């Protein structure tokens, strides 16, 4: 697969990986700043910017990663529904349960038709 296609399809996981690195760096820099300051008044800016900001960035990265996983699962479920729709005219699958009144023709479900030959 070409790099452009891979980036277009996996933009959320790429963004999540970048944000994980940025969030980890922010948390580490915040910890280094807090450990080097003696007074709590000098530690507070590091806690706010590095600690809380870094954890927020890591949370956004987790949401982006899960979004990519959910998108993959929904596309797989769509493929399964298409395959079951192609089988709706046979005795293997009840078309009424799927909400398909008439079976799909092979040109309507190209993945199924190519695999069945």
């Amino acid at each position: 697969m070409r790099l452009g296609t891979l980036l277009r399809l996996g933009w959320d996981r790429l963004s999540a990986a970048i944000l994980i690195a940025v969030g980890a760096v922010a948390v580490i820099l915040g910890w280094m700043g807090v450990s080097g300051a003696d007074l709590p008044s000098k530690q507070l800016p590091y806690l706010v910017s590095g600690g809380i900001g870094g954890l927020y960035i890591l949370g956004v990265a987790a949401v982006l990663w899960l979004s990519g996983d959910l998108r993959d699962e929904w596309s797989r479920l769509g493929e399964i529904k298409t395959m079951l729709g192609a089988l709706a005219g046979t005795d293997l699958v009840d078309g009424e349960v799927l909400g398909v009144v008439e079976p799909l023709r092979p040109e309507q479900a190209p993945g199924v038709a190519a695999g069945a030959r």
Side-chain angles (χ1 to χ4, degrees), residues 72-84:
D72 289 347
E73 290 299 320
W74 280 107
S75 66
R76 287 185 190 123
L77 285 174
E79 291 172 2
I80 291 171
K81 184 177 180 183
T82 302
M83 287 185 225
L84 288 175

Side-chain angles (χ1 to χ4, degrees), residues 14-77:
L14 177 65
S15 301
I18 291 170
L19 286 177
I20 287 171
V22 170
V25 167
V27 169
I28 290 170
L29 289 177
W31 176 77
M32 289 173 56
V34 167
S35 67
D38 294 333
L39 298 173
S41 61
K42 291 186 178 182
Q43 292 176 350
L44 191 60
Y46 293 111
L47 285 175
V48 171
S49 63
I52 296 173
L55 290 177
Y56 178 78
I57 292 171
L58 289 172
V60 171
V63 168
L64 281 172
W65 194 275
L66 289 174
S67 169
D69 287 346
L70 286 175
R71 186 170 31 94
D72 289 347
E73 290 299 320
W74 280 107
S75 66
R76 287 185 190 123
L77 285 174

